[in-house]
Amino acid sequence: MVIFFTGTGNSRYAARRIAEVTEDELHDSFKAIRENQGEYFESQKPLVFVCPTYAYRIPRVFEKYIRQCEFIGNKEAYFVMTCGSYIGSAQTHIEKMCDDLGLKFMGVAKLVMPENYICMFDSPTDEQAHKIICAADKIIDETANAIKNNKRLKPIRGSAFMTYFVNAIFYRLFVNDKKFYTTDDCTGCGMCSALCPMNNIKMHDKHPVWQGKCTQCQCCIAVCPHQAIEYGEKAKGKNRYYLK
């Protein structure tokens, strides 16, 4: 069972490719996370969790979802984390979560994909993104074949300071929706509201209104067909990256 969470498509892309190689079922956590509930899974194959890296850990919203779920059958758990460059000591945190849930940790893979956090960093051009994805395909396939052959992934050890201290500061200071706004280019199509995994955007008078439950997944600002969503001054002029 390949279970994924995505904001701008990187993790969905990786999860689909892994499911194809392992000939396994693919499951999008979107609906359950949007409704703030867990799910029941029964699988004879290992569990594969694919998600972005948020401040050197798996997203807190995805961890909450995993902890709400019930897993029957195969308890082996692999993790694949898409990132711009580095996942810190995410493995240590995931191992602890697996212990709590009675899952057998089989390793975490780091997958460098195009940077999507345009509220803080620069995004790649479409050409640059294509090259990064092509380079990532090899890592995805190697990881998928290791999973298919029931092999443990190589350990990834990094900075505990980044995963715990920086993560806490990041969520305290930056994970909010206070600076999102729409420009006059907004047509009121509602795509941002429909695709927000947190169900955090409501349409009012044909304009999106953020409700304070943002996880900074970048979906709304990236998916807007008219580039009508901004985040203060941080995202102005930047390429919107969304992998369909």
Side-chain angles (χ1 to χ4, degrees):
M1 179 70 68
V2 182
I3 304 167
F4 71 91
F5 167 72
T6 194
T8 61
N10 282 335
S11 296
R12 177 176 58 235
Y13 176 88
R16 283 178 175 171
R17 195 173 179 104
I18 291 170
E20 289 173 2
V21 174
T22 59
E23 299 177 302
D24 203 353
E25 184 178 349
L26 181 68
H27 183 78
D28 188 350
S29 64
F30 174 84
K31 185 175 184 295
I33 288 178
R34 191 172 166 93
E35 296 176 355
N36 191 27
Q37 62 184 25
E39 298 184 90
Y40 173 89
F41 294 99
E42 185 170 354
S43 177
Q44 297 307 310
K45 292 186 176 183
L47 301 165
V48 184
F49 299 98
V50 186
C51 66
T53 302
Y54 286 3
Y56 315 104
R57 269 170 50 175
I58 67 173
R60 293 188 181 185
V61 63
F62 192 51
E63 178 177 349
K64 179 182 178 182
Y65 162 77
I66 294 172
R67 288 182 178 275
Q68 289 175 318
C69 291
E70 181 178 0
F71 303 102
I72 303 298
N74 196 318
K75 295 298 183 73
E76 294 178 339
Y78 292 89
F79 290 78
V80 177
M81 298 178 65
T82 59
C83 63
S85 60
Y86 184 57
I87 66 171
S89 186
Q91 175 166 329
T92 301
H93 186 78
I94 293 171
E95 286 177 315
K96 173 62 168 58
M97 181 181 69
C98 287
D99 285 343
D100 292 344
L101 298 175
L103 300 176
K104 182 181 179 181
F105 177 75
M106 296 294 287
V108 58
K110 178 187 75 172
L111 181 63
V112 176
M113 292 288 281
E115 179 62 63
N116 64 356
Y117 191 45
I118 64 173
C119 289
M120 188 173 291
F121 306 113
D122 289 333
S123 58
T125 64
D126 292 343
E127 183 179 355
Q128 291 170 334
H130 178 71
K131 290 180 179 179
I132 294 170
I133 293 168
C134 287
D137 284 343
K138 180 181 178 181
I139 307 300
I140 297 173
D141 291 347
E142 289 176 353
T143 302
N145 279 301
I147 295 170
K148 186 175 182 178
N149 292 304
N150 204 39
K151 294 181 179 179
R152 282 185 172 271
L153 304 181
K154 294 180 180 180
I156 298 179
R157 300 298 181 186
S159 169
F161 174 81
M162 302 298 282
T163 293
Y164 292 98
F165 181 78
V166 173
N167 181 276
I169 296 298
F170 173 74
Y171 270 85
R172 185 176 304 162
L173 298 181
F174 299 106
V175 181
N176 59 68
D177 55 23
K178 295 177 181 178
K179 294 183 179 181
F180 282 112
Y181 68 94
T182 55
T183 68
D184 292 339
D185 293 326
C186 177
T187 64
C189 71
M191 186 177 292
C192 56
S193 176
L195 295 181
C196 173
M198 302 301 293
N199 197 22
N200 182 49
I201 303 174
K202 305 298 182 184
M203 300 301 294
H204 180 70
D205 291 336
K206 294 185 178 181
H207 283 281
V209 178
W210 285 261
Q211 305 294 307
K213 300 181 294 182
C214 183
T215 192
Q216 284 279 359
C217 74
Q218 307 295 289
C219 179
C220 61
I221 196 170
V223 79
C224 177
H226 302 287
Q227 296 190 13
I229 297 176
E230 297 288 355
Y231 185 78
E233 301 293 319
K234 296 292 186 180
K236 285 188 174 180
K238 294 181 181 178
N239 185 45
R240 268 45 172 174
Y241 172 77
Y242 188 82
L243 181 58
K244 294 180 180 179

